[in-house]
Amino acid sequence: MSASDYKWTSEVNKKTALVNEAVYLKYVCEFNKDAGLYTIDFNPNQTTNQYDLHLLKESKNSYEFVAFMKEAGRVDFSFDTTMKKTTLESIAEMTGGLDNEKAKDGFEKEFVKHKTLTLHVEKSSVDLVGDFSLEIKRDEADKKAFSPYHFDVIIKGVGNFQNIKPLEFKIEGVKVFTQKPTKNFTLTKEGYSGEWSQKFAFVAQNSFNIEEFRIEYFDLKSSSVKELKSKSTSVNITAGYQRETLLDTDKEEEFSYRYLLFALFLISGFLVGKIKFKKEKLPSKESILFNKKVEKTTSVDELLILLILEDKKEYKDIIRKIESDNRMSLNQAKKLVGI
């Protein structure tokens, strides 16, 4: 096998970059003849101390990568490739006809060291590098007490989206519910392109403020640090749902519950000697009353508030499912609770 059968070319799209910036690399093998006989084994390290490498596109003789830089200094992209060629001799070797060390596994192999591509990486004062924009979707400012106030954060653009961290809000007297961020982006030459979003629901009895937040990023077009900034939001809470009406026990329900429990006790005592059955734990007073409250709810929002105010770990996943599906009916939501 002769290296004159092919020629490798390589390129990097910039000579300098910032930490966290995306860098595009391309490697192409041009064949003079017998291209169909060759197999290319090109698998560079995906992660090093200096960069994270992601495969963008691959064809029979072309490879494109995007590297996200991790530390400042000189970076050398120095990769190796194994060229495998099928020949008559290698086929004969497989059938025991020749003694050729190069022809093991049916191939003649040659190791190619690519031209080193050098890049100088500079420090960055911020974690995000690229081109981004911020969009906030929020409910109307007036809400009933204990009614969820929805607040969605959406970041669009291109860059190192994978470095965006989840947001947190801590407001006194307010329960804050959130989902894991949704990541809807694809890899391009400039980095990841698409959007990142996170949904929040705020539940409170009294009016409250959602303070502004800022996310800094380095804008490559203007070569300057910019901000994604939200405005402060005031939520006005009016009289509406009352915690007592949603959760507290009234005397009539407590009275009927005592008699129900007494009746169950008598019946179970009579049947235990007559029928063999599995011993099951009786539902607690609280669970029976809570199920009645669930049955009485007349809307998905009212059911959601009831679950939020119950404040039990077992309902958190149900709350998330209801919050994430705007088309869910009341009956479907009640089934999730077990009603």
Side-chain angles (χ1 to χ4, degrees), residues 7 95 126 187 189 258 269 280:
K7 178 184 177 181
T95 59
V126 293
L187 190 62
K189 292 181 180 180
R258 287 176 179 174
E280 294 186 0

Side-chain angles (χ1 to χ4, degrees), residues 39-43 63 80-84:
T39 300
I40 300 172
D41 187 1
F42 187 18
N43 298 298
Y63 300 82
D80 297 331
T81 297
T82 302
M83 303 295 294
K84 300 178 180 179

Side-chain angles (χ1 to χ4, degrees), residues 36 42 137 222:
F42 187 18
K137 292 183 179 180
S222 64

Side-chain angles (χ1 to χ4, degrees), residues 228-263:
L228 301 175
K229 181 180 177 181
S230 74
K231 296 180 180 178
S232 177
T233 303
S234 296
V235 182
N236 180 41
I237 300 296
T238 59
Y241 301 109
Q242 296 297 320
R243 188 182 185 95
E244 291 75 16
T245 61
L246 285 169
L247 293 179
D248 284 359
T249 305
D250 55 49
K251 291 182 180 179
E252 181 180 348
E253 288 175 325
E254 186 174 349
F255 177 82
S256 60
Y257 171 80
R258 287 176 179 174
Y259 277 88
L260 173 63
L261 186 60
F262 181 67

Side-chain angles (χ1 to χ4, degrees), residues 207-219:
S207 300
F208 62 93
N209 290 325
I210 303 173
E211 297 298 329
E212 68 176 35
F213 66 87
R214 304 182 184 195
I215 301 175
E216 290 187 328
Y217 72 97
F218 189 90
D219 179 55

Side-chain angles (χ1 to χ4, degrees), residues 167-181:
L167 298 171
E168 291 185 7
F169 293 97
K170 293 183 179 180
I171 307 172
E172 187 175 353
V174 179
K175 285 187 176 294
V176 182
F177 298 88
T178 185
Q179 300 174 330
K180 290 183 178 179

